[in-house]
Amino acid sequence: MNFRKFLQEERVRSLPLKEPAVVDSHTLVRAAIAAMRTKSLGCAVILGPQQQPLGVFTEHAVVGLLEKSVPLDSTAVSACADPEFHVVKLDDPIAKVWSAVQSGARFVCVVDDQQQLVGLTGQRGLAEFVCECFAREIAVQRLSSPQMKTREGA
Amino acid sequence: MNDFLAHDPDKFEDPLANFDPKEYESSLQEALVERTVGQIPPQPAQRISPTDTVRDAVQKMAQGNLASLLVVDQQGCVIGIFTERDVLDNVAEQYERVADHAISEVMTADPAVVYDSDPSAAAIASIAVAGHRHVPVLGVGGSLIGTLEPRHVFAFMEKYFDK
């Protein structure tokens, strides 16, 4: 299997898409953080009035806000949206997501033909897709912890 | 004379004579099994002491544009990891209250690791199966080598896409 060709042939809809945490541009940072925690996601997608993505607010931005002591209760997410903002369509090739991730994006918004947000993918989604494609090689791996004194099969 | 020495060498049959090495459908599949984690260039390890404060960690991450810090004890052992997700889940909503607490109180203890001798597939398993975006890489004896992120693993895979 030529994996590059495979990524060109497979569509984004084949990826395991996550249900995104969504906010609007006026949502305060503290509320966005709560939405991200509820969904166990590292970002919240900022949506416009037609449900189209306008940007993403990420946990990476949260670190910067804390460091600068920015008040979470009076700052809107739109003021600290991530400039690395990528959108793909359901029928785009997965290769487009791969390129976005390798250019530095962690999250990629997935939209339908009306540009409305339908899901979220990115680094994790690609890793899960790779794992499905090579399940016999990847899913059988034993995971280790540094506290393990002996490791079977090492 | 025991039975082994009494065996006629001319009649000896090598039990491995019919052994066929595993055949792979692609170079990428082979690389995932036969290449090791040590062949994936990691990010240099960014360390912090378990007694450093949450504020120290947040400052180090923000100023260094880092997504994770490895919490390393005085013996050089990795005892935890502090990532952006820990900031989100354990720190952000109560930052002023926990800012001067030790990082060991809010880190993820005993993180999953990979060893540089593990198959490269182990790094993807840690990310895709265990759900860790930052995976410490340890060498012989538990020495800390660095941290792998998805982009490192994907870049490694790309080398075998067209072969």
Side-chain angles (χ1 to χ4, degrees):
Chain A
M1 171 174 55
N2 181 314
F3 200 65
R4 189 186 302 279
K5 190 176 170 198
F6 187 64
L7 292 176
Q8 285 290 352
E9 291 169 350
E10 288 291 309
R11 304 289 114 182
V12 168
R13 63 174 72 248
S14 303
L15 288 174
L17 303 181
K18 298 225 183 275
E19 185 183 331
V22 296
V23 295
D24 64 45
S25 55
H26 304 296
T27 303
L28 297 178
V29 167
R30 186 178 293 280
I33 288 171
M36 291 155 69
R37 291 188 62 198
T38 300
K39 300 259 185 182
S40 294
L41 290 173
C43 81
V45 181
I46 304 169
L47 290 185
Q50 272 77 49
Q51 304 299 300
Q52 77 280 24
L54 300 177
V56 292
F57 171 72
T58 69
E59 59 191 9
H60 183 72
V62 172
V63 176
L65 294 175
L66 295 179
E67 195 255 343
K68 291 175 187 155
S69 299
V70 173
L72 307 185
D73 292 313
S74 57
T75 303
V77 286
S78 54
C80 33
D82 192 335
E84 290 290 326
F85 170 50
H86 294 260
V87 176
V88 297
K89 290 184 177 174
L90 280 168
D91 287 322
D92 280 338
I94 291 176
K96 198 167 178 183
V97 177
W98 188 284
S99 295
V101 164
Q102 287 307 81
S103 70
R106 186 177 154 200
F107 304 103
V108 178
C109 297
V110 182
V111 296
D112 60 16
D113 289 338
Q114 285 73 48
Q115 302 296 320
Q116 292 184 331
L117 182 70
V118 293
L120 190 70
T121 188
Q123 287 183 338
R124 181 78 188 275
L126 278 183
E128 290 177 9
F129 178 75
V130 168
C131 187
E132 282 178 22
C133 294
F134 297 96
R136 282 185 300 170
E137 290 77 28
I138 297 171
V140 297
Q141 296 296 325
R142 185 183 300 273
L143 300 175
S144 306
S145 155
Q147 304 308 313
M148 290 181 184
K149 298 301 180 192
T150 59
R151 299 180 63 243
E152 238 182 315
Chain B
M1 185 178 292
N2 65 32
D3 288 347
F4 178 78
L5 294 175
H7 191 81
D8 182 353
D10 293 335
K11 293 180 181 175
F12 175 73
E13 290 182 11
D14 183 355
L16 296 178
N18 293 326
F19 173 77
D20 291 322
K22 183 172 180 180
E23 290 184 5
Y24 296 99
E25 293 172 10
S26 67
S27 297
L28 178 56
Q29 190 184 34
E30 181 178 4
L32 291 172
V33 177
E34 304 290 350
R35 306 288 175 183
T36 65
V37 165
Q39 291 172 280
I40 309 174
Q43 180 172 292
Q46 302 292 332
R47 304 159 192 246
I48 192 167
S49 161
T51 55
D52 285 344
T53 66
V54 172
R55 192 187 308 276
D56 294 334
V58 167
Q59 285 177 348
K60 189 168 184 176
M61 290 169 77
Q63 291 165 11
N65 197 27
L66 305 170
S68 70
L69 298 171
L70 294 174
V71 185
V72 179
D73 67 15
Q74 288 183 324
Q75 286 72 45
C77 297
V78 178
I79 62 167
I81 188 166
F82 184 66
T83 70
E84 289 171 343
R85 185 55 55 91
D86 295 309
V87 173
L88 188 77
D89 284 344
N90 306 332
V91 172
E93 293 179 302
Q94 48 181 349
Y95 183 59
E96 287 310 318
R97 192 171 72 75
V98 300
D100 295 318
H101 290 210
I103 198 70
S104 57
E105 295 178 29
V106 294
M107 69 181 186
T108 298
D110 300 336
V113 300
V114 290
Y115 289 80
D116 62 350
S117 57
D118 285 339
S120 60
I124 303 175
S126 292
I127 295 165
V129 181
H132 304 302
R133 206 165 64 84
H134 308 93
V135 186
V137 182
L138 305 183
V140 176
S143 59
L144 181 56
I145 294 175
T147 307
L148 281 180
E149 296 179 8
R151 61 194 170 95
H152 302 125
V153 179
F154 295 155
F156 167 80
M157 290 179 62
E158 281 181 349
K159 292 195 294 184
Y160 299 94
F161 271 8
D162 299 317
K163 293 181 181 175

